[in-house]
Each structure stands twice: as C-alpha cells, then as structure tokens.
Amino acid sequence: MHVLHVTHSAGGGTQKYIDDLMKLTGYEHTMYHGLNSDGIVYSNTFTIIHVHSFFPYEEIGWGTLMNIRWIRSLNPSVKLFVTIHDYNWLFLNNIIGSDMSTQGFTTEYYTDFGQVPHSFCCYCTHELFSQADKVIMPSRSVYLNYSKFLGPLDKYKVEVVPHCDMPARYENLWIPPVRDRVNVAFIGKKGNDVYTQVKDLVKEPIINFVEYPEYKDEELIEMLHRDDIHVIFWPSRLEESYCYALTRLINSGIPIVYIRRGAFADRLPESGRFFGTTDYKKIIPKLFDAVRAVMSSNGIKNYEKIDETVQLNSWYKENYC
C-alpha cells in the first residue's frame, strides 16, 4: 500500500505525526508540499491520499482540491482521509485579534497570489470535507473550533482521534537548588514577541533568561535538567491544538509560565507548578509567582522517566494496517 501525504512544509508537529504513523505501519509513503501535477503522474499507485493540516490560504488550497478531484477521476477507488492536526492558522484573525497580529491579517489572507478572502478559505474547507471519506480531528476542542466558524459538521464523516504521544505525568516535579539565580528557559521561537518585551522589562538580578531557539524533542527534558532550569517560559499567543513539546515540558517536572490559549488552556491546570494567564499583558506577575515558588522550594527532584513508546490507536489499525 502506498500513502500520499499532502501537507504544508514538513517539520514540527505535522512531521512527527507522519513519522510516527509510517514508522508503525511500515507502508511506503510520499510527502508533498501541496499537490501539484507531479502527484498526478503517480496517481494509480496511491491507495490513500492523506491530507494533513489543510491551510486554505496557502498555495496548497485550491490547487490541492482540483488535483484531488483529478486523481479520483482517474482512480475512483482512491480513499481520501483528511486529518486536521492544527487549527490556529485557518481562523487566524478570529483567534489572534488585531492587537496581537504583526502581519496585517484582517478578514483576508496574504499568499503568493495576493489576498484571499476569509469566505473563500471557509469554502475550500467545506469542499475538502465534502470530498473526504473521513475527516479526522485530534480533539473535541478542534472539532468545536471548526464548528464555530464553519457551522455544523454533522453532514461530514468526522471522527475524533487523539494524537499518538507518550502519556503526560503531571505529578512529576523537578526544581534544582537555587544557587545564584533562577534560570528561566525560553524554548523555540513561538511567543518571541512577548518574550522580547518581557526580557527588556524584567531587570531583576535574580532572574537569568536562557534561550533555546533550536532543540531536539528527544533531548529536551535532559537538556533542561542538565542546565538546571527552574522555570519554563512559554508566552505563545497562538492557539495550538495539541503541541507535542508540551507533553515533554509537563513530564520535565519544571514549573511552567504560559498563556492560557489552545492546548495550553486545554491541557494544563491553573494550580501547582503551572502559572497561566489569559492576558499576555499580565504574564510578568505570573513569572514572578513562579520564581517565588522556586526560591521557596529549596530544591525538589521527584522526576520519573516514562516509556516514550508510541502506541497505535484503533483508527490507525483499521485504516492503515
């Protein structure tokens, strides 16, 4: 069996999603950034077209729809599965708001072909869903978000299937002793606009900001423990639907300061070692709360490493095995 994956640029959560899936099934697969005429040449070899994270305002939008129709006209037996891995880009204006956007998004999206009206994005999404044999979403929150802007989705074959990921251990706790300063880690690049402002405003000598612009998922926990990180600072304002990195941050046992949006609001409690706020302008007091908690802890290391083996769920077994 040969699976054709149609996605935005590889990397991040989408890449992990595909890698985990194909590693477990052992099927041959081909990855395309969008679906152009090259995909049509191989149309007869594909049993499944698997569309990930459909971004209608990107170049893969309308062209993807037209080419999927063409492939299925050549081979009607080809199945079309659509996996909505994330949702923060589809309704960017509705989620971020004018005070938070730095790219000028309003009710239109900017592509290589100019401006695309929001209504056209919704139309493309409806068209894709209507052609799909099954639409898979990773959580009910994603389903509800799409329903909010697209209307009822009952007419489509929608199924909620969780991400393949290791379990989260909220009970883990890891706080190294405070020697001279409290080490606060900013990981990756999401939320860099807020982080830059906070770093410029916070002049407390006790706080030492440590930046990790690049990291490997499998080495993230070990890296944070090795560097005696006391607080994780994640000020991203995007509504991520899951975030694989968040699972590792939870399992690290380190206190987390974050903005309560998307996955971070869905998956993190507002208690214990988690310090969240819905207003990014109030994140500095939350950072100070976390620093005070660390300073009063005197060092606690109660971290239990867990098995990171990814398990196949029933949907993947039924459709790929």
Side-chain angles (χ1 to χ4, degrees), residues 14-38:
T14 299
Q15 184 69 57
K16 175 173 171 51
Y17 190 89
I18 295 172
D19 287 347
D20 286 344
L21 179 61
M22 290 297 102
K23 188 187 304 179
L24 290 164
T25 61
Y27 285 173
E28 295 181 16
H29 64 288
T30 302
M31 187 94 155
Y32 282 98
H33 177 201
L35 182 57
N36 51 36
S37 58
D38 294 337

Side-chain angles (χ1 to χ4, degrees), residues 210-224:
V210 184
E211 300 173 7
Y212 298 97
E214 304 289 340
Y215 63 90
K216 295 181 179 180
D217 281 343
E218 64 274 13
E219 299 175 358
L220 181 57
I221 295 176
E222 181 181 353
M223 176 184 72
L224 296 173

Side-chain angles (χ1 to χ4, degrees), residues 64 209 212 214 270 276:
T64 297
F209 288 104
Y212 298 97
E214 304 289 340
E270 294 184 84

Side-chain angles (χ1 to χ4, degrees), residues 310-321:
V310 177
Q311 300 296 321
L312 269 178
N313 57 45
S314 59
W315 184 87
Y316 293 135
K317 291 180 180 178
E318 292 172 3
N319 291 285
Y320 283 92
C321 296

Side-chain angles (χ1 to χ4, degrees), residues 78-306:
V78 170
K79 297 291 184 181
L80 173 61
F81 296 148
V82 178
T83 297
I84 302 300
H85 171 73
D86 211 344
Y87 57 70
N88 56 317
W89 300 110
L90 181 59
F91 309 111
L92 191 63
N93 177 63
N94 305 81
I95 292 174
I96 292 184
S98 58
D99 65 317
M100 302 174 71
S101 175
T102 59
Q103 302 181 47
F105 288 102
T106 54
T107 58
E108 297 181 326
Y109 298 89
Y110 293 83
T111 71
D112 293 338
F113 310 103
Q115 296 178 334
V116 179
H118 181 266
S119 59
F120 182 73
C121 296
C122 292
Y123 170 77
C124 286
T125 305
H126 274 299
E127 283 293 302
L128 183 71
F129 284 5
S130 66
Q131 293 184 44
D133 293 281
K134 190 170 290 186
V135 178
I136 305 97
M137 298 187 177
S139 67
R140 183 158 180 78
S141 62
V142 175
Y143 176 86
L144 293 175
N145 201 327
Y146 269 77
S147 299
K148 178 180 178 181
F149 296 107
L150 294 180
L153 301 177
D154 298 342
K155 59 183 177 181
Y156 305 122
K157 297 176 182 178
V158 178
E159 192 170 310
V160 176
V161 179
H163 292 82
C164 286
D165 196 12
M166 57 182 174
R169 296 291 291 268
Y170 293 87
E171 69 275 16
N172 279 355
L173 188 60
W174 177 282
I175 303 178
V178 177
R179 296 180 175 86
D180 299 320
R181 294 184 292 179
V182 174
N183 297 319
V184 177
F186 174 64
I187 302 167
K189 301 175 183 178
K190 295 178 180 178
N192 186 64
D193 53 341
V194 177
Y195 167 69
T196 302
Q197 295 178 50
V198 170
K199 185 179 178 182
D200 290 341
L201 292 172
V202 174
K203 302 299 182 182
E204 301 295 329
I206 191 67
I207 297 178
N208 175 46
F209 288 104
V210 184
E211 300 173 7
Y212 298 97
E214 304 289 340
Y215 63 90
K216 295 181 179 180
D217 281 343
E218 64 274 13
E219 299 175 358
L220 181 57
I221 295 176
E222 181 181 353
M223 176 184 72
L224 296 173
H225 288 180
R226 180 196 64 216
D227 294 346
D228 285 341
I229 296 301
H230 300 95
V231 176
I232 295 167
F233 187 61
W234 192 285
S236 174
R237 294 178 289 178
L238 291 176
E239 284 205 39
E240 299 196 53
S241 60
Y242 184 75
C243 186
Y244 288 100
L246 177 55
T247 306
R248 295 182 182 277
L249 299 183
I250 293 170
N251 291 342
S252 73
I254 300 171
I256 301 174
V257 178
Y258 65 100
I259 295 175
R260 291 190 58 78
R261 285 176 172 267
F264 281 73
D266 295 339
R267 301 181 60 196
L268 294 181
E270 294 184 84
S271 60
R273 60 182 173 94
F274 305 105
F275 302 83
T277 176
T278 56
D279 185 353
Y280 75 97
K281 297 176 183 178
K282 298 179 180 179
I283 200 167
I284 291 180
K286 290 295 181 180
L287 175 60
F288 288 160
D289 288 343
V291 169
R292 282 191 290 267
V294 166
M295 293 179 66
S296 63
S297 69
N298 294 316
I300 301 172
K301 294 183 179 180
N302 182 24
Y303 167 75
E304 183 177 348
K305 188 174 183 179
I306 65 171

